[in-house]
Amino acid sequence: MDAIVGLCKRRGFIFQSSEIYGGYNGFFDFGPLGVELKKNLKDAWWEDIVHRRDDIEGLDSSIIMSPKIWEASGHVGGFSDPMVDCKASKMRYRADQLFYAPVVVDNNTLGYVSALEDHAMEADAQAAAEKLKRKKGVQGELAPLALKEYIEADPSEYELIPSPATGEPGSLTPPRDFNLMFETKVGALSDSTAIAYLRPETAQGIFANYKNIVDTGRVKIPFGIAQIGKAFRNEITPRNFIFRSREFEQMEMEYFISPDADWKAMHREWIDWCKNWLSSIGLPESMLGEDVHPQDKLSHYSRGTTDITFQFPFGEQELWGIACRGDFDLSQHQKHSGKSMEIFDESSKSKYIPHVIEPALGVDRLLLAVLTAAYTEDEVGGEKRSLMKFHPRIAPYKVAVLPLLKNKPELVERAKEIYRKIQRKHTAFWDASGAIGRRYRRMDEIGTPWCVTIDFETIEQDGTVTLRDRDTTEQRRLSEEDLLAFLDDQLF
Ligand code: GAP
């Protein structure tokens, strides 16, 4: 993770927000390479889900919508995480990410240990338990630790569980619900009637516009509406770089189906579609998994959710949630707005409120997965190199054009001509300074799949250029015509 975060900063992918003022927790800025990578991810998703399918339409709804939408959707009442405060350190934790266990030796409880959820949590808790046993000077064998979430603790235990910040018990509060929506005020008045929310998901914009699209388009069940846009959540513990932030982008699609459809089969089809799509942009199948939510842990709107997980550097975590929302949202909006959300289904000649399958993906989280999968260290000619093996479709730059020497005008001129031609169709990078080997390494590190070098053979002999492959470092000569055809073929 440190290598990825370091590379992101060094090469201009991602910066901490407001860095000149010491940073702002949970917010990030995307530099020249990050914004290209992010745009390529969004474009690839949009092309594949909207442009290359006949059953899905696009939408771009406003971020701030009537607060009535968030009352109907259940977000005002229930979009919260359990929070616990440490009174001594003023630190705040998510109660479902704070784990604790009694430390037991020969049926005697010596005290409690706590640990924050991460891949080292069990080892940390075990070490703390052994330390406590030593401190108490007790002989005998430690019983295996049974770690539980803080929300499962009995109120009598709150006082006994040590704060992860101080290591001492007595300062943790009972858990309480914390609503994750950011509030803002709309209009000149600043009383309670002016309160509005920054959307915590793009999905509600789709439900709120579903009737508009049904009435103005030519959609037929089953059909989908897709949207890409910002979402905001006042996360209690933003962490793991851009994995969980307070401002992020989502790519969500609501797929409307008949209530009589085999929703379980369609759910499976969408899980497979999403996994195939992730593989198509370069995430290895071996790094993907599935997490089926148990019935008693489903969100208020869901009748079945499966997350596609990814092996992030800090462990296997949710990447893409695929939920079956039934008719929860449309029924709620029908009830709260008084407007009918029914559709007339030509094929069955019946009227109904459709059910929904929702694949919901975070762009930033996907970007972190892509960075993780692409990051590679190897050796070339006895020298260590780090490279980003981005799939060409999403690489920030597709090709770099390099004149062998920058002080030879005839080389530079020819290289510029080729660069301009490539640039008309593909994002290209111009780099004329430094030793050619150093320039190759720079391009490897930012994941540029190909480098084209213009040398004396190009201008004095047969006009061919050298094409170098990032992953194999192999070089071959080809004509300008073949080069352009090669790039068009690879970058469909
Ligand atoms: N409309 C359903 C919905 O929003 P979610 O599981 O809360 O479901 C969907 O979010 C996806 O959005 C997640 O799988 C994740 O990729 C991304 N996401 C959610 N919260 C995030 C956060 N705080 N930071 C970055 N990405 C987030």
Coordinates of all heavy atoms in Angstrom, one line a residue, residues 410-446:
E410 N 15.8 17.6 -37.0 CA 15.2 16.7 -38.0 C 14.5 15.5 -37.3 O 13.4 15.1 -37.7 CB 16.1 16.2 -39.1 CG 17.4 15.4 -38.7 CD 18.5 16.3 -38.2 OE1 18.3 17.3 -37.5 OE2 19.7 15.8 -38.4
L411 N 15.1 15.0 -36.2 CA 14.5 13.9 -35.4 C 13.2 14.4 -34.7 O 12.2 13.8 -34.7 CB 15.5 13.4 -34.4 CG 16.6 12.4 -34.7 CD1 17.3 12.0 -33.5 CD2 16.0 11.2 -35.4
V412 N 13.4 15.6 -34.1 CA 12.3 16.2 -33.3 C 11.1 16.5 -34.2 O 9.9 16.2 -33.9 CB 12.7 17.4 -32.6 CG1 11.6 18.1 -31.9 CG2 13.8 17.1 -31.6
E413 N 11.4 17.0 -35.4 CA 10.3 17.4 -36.3 C 9.5 16.2 -36.8 O 8.3 16.2 -36.8 CB 11.0 18.0 -37.6 CG 10.1 19.1 -38.2 CD 11.0 19.9 -39.2 OE1 11.9 20.7 -38.8 OE2 10.8 19.6 -40.4
R414 N 10.2 15.1 -37.2 CA 9.6 13.9 -37.6 C 8.8 13.2 -36.5 O 7.7 12.8 -36.7 CB 10.7 12.9 -38.1 CG 10.2 11.6 -38.7 CD 9.7 11.8 -40.1 NE 9.0 10.6 -40.6 CZ 7.7 10.4 -40.5 NH1 6.9 11.4 -40.1 NH2 7.1 9.3 -40.9
A415 N 9.4 13.3 -35.3 CA 8.7 12.7 -34.1 C 7.4 13.5 -33.8 O 6.4 12.9 -33.5 CB 9.6 12.7 -32.9
K416 N 7.5 14.8 -33.9 CA 6.3 15.6 -33.7 C 5.2 15.3 -34.7 O 4.0 15.3 -34.3 CB 6.7 17.1 -33.8 CG 7.0 17.8 -32.4 CD 5.8 18.3 -31.7 CE 5.9 18.3 -30.2 NZ 6.5 19.4 -29.5
E417 N 5.6 15.1 -35.9 CA 4.6 14.7 -36.9 C 3.8 13.5 -36.5 O 2.6 13.4 -36.6 CB 5.3 14.4 -38.3 CG 5.3 15.5 -39.3 CD 6.2 15.1 -40.5 OE1 6.0 14.0 -41.0 OE2 7.0 15.9 -40.9
I418 N 4.6 12.5 -36.2 CA 4.0 11.2 -35.8 C 3.1 11.4 -34.5 O 2.0 10.9 -34.4 CB 5.1 10.1 -35.6 CG1 5.7 9.8 -36.9 CG2 4.5 8.8 -35.0 CD1 6.9 8.8 -36.9
Y419 N 3.6 12.1 -33.6 CA 2.9 12.4 -32.3 C 1.6 13.0 -32.6 O 0.5 12.6 -32.1 CB 3.8 13.3 -31.5 CG 3.2 13.9 -30.2 CD1 2.8 13.0 -29.2 CD2 3.1 15.3 -30.0 CE1 2.2 13.6 -28.0 CE2 2.5 15.8 -28.9 CZ 2.1 14.9 -27.9 OH 1.5 15.5 -26.7
R420 N 1.6 14.1 -33.5 CA 0.3 14.8 -33.8 C -0.7 13.8 -34.4 O -1.9 13.9 -34.1 CB 0.5 15.9 -34.7 CG 1.4 17.0 -34.1 CD 0.5 18.0 -33.2 NE 1.3 18.9 -32.5 CZ 1.3 19.1 -31.2 NH1 0.5 18.5 -30.5 NH2 2.2 20.0 -30.7
K421 N -0.2 12.9 -35.3 CA -1.1 12.0 -35.9 C -1.7 11.0 -34.9 O -2.9 10.8 -34.9 CB -0.3 11.1 -37.0 CG -0.3 11.8 -38.3 CD 0.2 10.9 -39.4 CE 0.6 11.8 -40.6 NZ 1.6 11.1 -41.4
I422 N -0.9 10.5 -34.0 CA -1.4 9.6 -33.0 C -2.4 10.3 -32.1 O -3.5 9.7 -31.8 CB -0.3 9.0 -32.1 CG1 0.7 8.1 -33.0 CG2 -0.8 8.1 -31.0 CD1 1.9 7.6 -32.2
Q423 N -2.1 11.5 -31.7 CA -2.9 12.3 -30.8 C -4.3 12.5 -31.2 O -5.2 12.8 -30.4 CB -2.2 13.6 -30.6 CG -2.0 14.1 -29.2 CD -1.5 15.4 -29.1 OE1 -1.3 16.2 -30.1 NE2 -1.1 15.9 -27.9
R424 N -4.5 12.5 -32.6 CA -5.9 12.7 -33.1 C -6.8 11.6 -32.6 O -8.0 11.8 -32.4 CB -5.9 12.7 -34.6 CG -5.5 14.0 -35.2 CD -5.7 14.0 -36.7 NE -4.5 14.7 -37.3 CZ -3.9 14.3 -38.4 NH1 -4.3 13.3 -39.1 NH2 -2.9 15.0 -38.8
K425 N -6.3 10.4 -32.3 CA -7.2 9.3 -31.9 C -6.9 8.8 -30.5 O -7.8 8.3 -29.8 CB -7.0 8.2 -32.8 CG -7.7 8.3 -34.2 CD -7.6 7.0 -34.9 CE -8.4 7.0 -36.2 NZ -8.1 5.8 -36.9
H426 N -5.7 8.9 -30.0 CA -5.3 8.3 -28.8 C -4.5 9.3 -27.9 O -3.8 10.1 -28.4 CB -4.4 7.0 -29.0 CG -5.0 6.1 -30.0 ND1 -6.2 5.4 -29.8 CD2 -4.6 5.8 -31.3 CE1 -6.4 4.7 -30.9 NE2 -5.5 4.9 -31.8
T427 N -4.7 9.1 -26.5 CA -3.9 10.0 -25.7 C -2.4 9.6 -25.8 O -2.0 8.5 -25.5 CB -4.3 9.9 -24.2 OG1 -4.6 8.5 -23.9 CG2 -5.6 10.7 -23.9
A428 N -1.6 10.6 -26.2 CA -0.2 10.3 -26.4 C 0.6 11.3 -25.5 O 0.2 12.3 -25.1 CB 0.2 10.5 -27.8
F429 N 1.8 10.9 -25.2 CA 2.7 11.7 -24.3 C 4.0 12.0 -25.1 O 4.6 11.2 -25.7 CB 3.1 10.8 -23.1 CG 3.7 11.6 -22.0 CD1 3.0 12.3 -21.1 CD2 5.1 11.7 -21.9 CE1 3.6 13.1 -20.0 CE2 5.7 12.4 -20.9 CZ 4.9 13.1 -20.0
W430 N 4.4 13.2 -25.0 CA 5.6 13.7 -25.7 C 6.7 13.8 -24.7 O 6.6 14.5 -23.6 CB 5.3 15.1 -26.3 CG 6.6 15.7 -26.9 CD1 7.3 16.7 -26.4 CD2 7.2 15.4 -28.2 NE1 8.3 17.0 -27.2 CE2 8.3 16.2 -28.3 CE3 6.9 14.5 -29.2 CZ2 9.1 16.2 -29.4 CZ3 7.7 14.4 -30.3 CH2 8.9 15.3 -30.4
D431 N 7.8 13.1 -24.9 CA 9.0 13.3 -24.0 C 10.3 13.3 -24.8 O 10.6 12.3 -25.4 CB 8.9 12.1 -23.0 CG 9.9 12.3 -21.8 OD1 10.6 13.4 -21.9 OD2 10.0 11.5 -20.9
A432 N 11.0 14.4 -24.7 CA 12.2 14.5 -25.6 C 13.4 14.6 -24.7 O 14.5 14.6 -25.2 CB 12.1 15.8 -26.4
S433 N 13.3 14.7 -23.4 CA 14.5 15.0 -22.6 C 14.9 13.8 -21.8 O 14.1 13.0 -21.2 CB 14.3 16.2 -21.7 OG 13.1 16.0 -20.9
G434 N 16.3 13.6 -21.7 CA 16.8 12.6 -20.8 C 17.3 11.4 -21.7 O 16.9 11.3 -22.9
A435 N 18.0 10.5 -21.1 CA 18.5 9.3 -21.8 C 17.3 8.4 -22.1 O 16.3 8.4 -21.3 CB 19.5 8.5 -20.9
I436 N 17.4 7.7 -23.2 CA 16.2 7.0 -23.7 C 15.7 5.9 -22.7 O 14.6 5.8 -22.4 CB 16.4 6.4 -25.1 CG1 15.1 6.0 -25.7 CG2 17.4 5.2 -25.0 CD1 14.3 7.1 -26.3
G437 N 16.7 5.3 -22.0 CA 16.4 4.3 -21.0 C 15.6 4.9 -19.8 O 14.6 4.3 -19.3
R438 N 16.0 6.1 -19.4 CA 15.3 6.8 -18.3 C 13.9 7.1 -18.7 O 13.0 7.1 -17.9 CB 16.1 8.1 -17.9 CG 17.4 7.8 -17.3 CD 17.3 7.9 -15.7 NE 16.8 9.2 -15.2 CZ 17.6 10.2 -15.1 NH1 18.9 10.2 -15.5 NH2 17.2 11.4 -14.6
R439 N 13.8 7.5 -20.0 CA 12.4 7.9 -20.5 C 11.5 6.7 -20.5 O 10.3 6.7 -20.2 CB 12.5 8.5 -21.9 CG 12.9 10.0 -21.8 CD 12.9 10.6 -23.2 NE 14.2 10.6 -23.8 CZ 14.4 10.9 -25.1 NH1 13.3 11.2 -25.9 NH2 15.6 10.8 -25.6
Y440 N 12.1 5.5 -20.9 CA 11.3 4.3 -20.9 C 10.8 4.0 -19.5 O 9.6 3.6 -19.3 CB 12.1 3.1 -21.4 CG 12.4 3.0 -22.9 CD1 13.5 2.4 -23.4 CD2 11.5 3.6 -23.8 CE1 13.7 2.4 -24.8 CE2 11.7 3.5 -25.2 CZ 12.8 2.9 -25.7 OH 13.0 2.9 -27.0
R441 N 11.7 4.1 -18.5 CA 11.4 3.8 -17.1 C 10.2 4.7 -16.6 O 9.3 4.3 -15.9 CB 12.6 4.0 -16.2 CG 13.7 3.0 -16.3 CD 13.3 1.6 -15.9 NE 14.5 0.8 -16.1 CZ 14.8 0.3 -17.3 NH1 14.1 0.5 -18.4 NH2 15.9 -0.4 -17.4
R442 N 10.3 6.0 -17.0 CA 9.3 6.9 -16.6 C 7.9 6.5 -17.1 O 6.9 6.6 -16.4 CB 9.6 8.3 -17.1 CG 10.5 9.1 -16.2 CD 10.3 10.7 -16.4 NE 10.7 11.1 -17.7 CZ 11.9 11.7 -18.0 NH1 12.8 11.9 -17.1 NH2 12.1 12.2 -19.2
M443 N 7.9 6.1 -18.4 CA 6.7 5.6 -19.0 C 6.2 4.3 -18.4 O 5.0 4.1 -18.2 CB 6.9 5.4 -20.5 CG 7.0 6.7 -21.2 SD 5.5 7.8 -20.9 CE 6.3 9.1 -20.0
D444 N 7.1 3.4 -18.0 CA 6.7 2.1 -17.3 C 6.0 2.5 -16.0 O 5.0 1.9 -15.7 CB 8.0 1.3 -17.0 CG 8.6 0.8 -18.3 OD1 8.0 0.8 -19.4 OD2 9.8 0.3 -18.2
E445 N 6.6 3.4 -15.3 CA 6.1 3.7 -14.0 C 4.7 4.3 -14.0 O 3.9 4.2 -13.1 CB 7.0 4.6 -13.2 CG 7.0 4.4 -11.7 CD 7.9 5.3 -10.9 OE1 8.3 6.4 -11.5 OE2 8.1 5.0 -9.7
I446 N 4.3 5.0 -15.1 CA 3.0 5.5 -15.2 C 2.1 4.7 -16.0 O 0.9 5.0 -16.3 CB 2.9 7.0 -15.6 CG1 3.5 7.2 -17.1 CG2 3.7 7.9 -14.7 CD1 3.2 8.5 -17.7

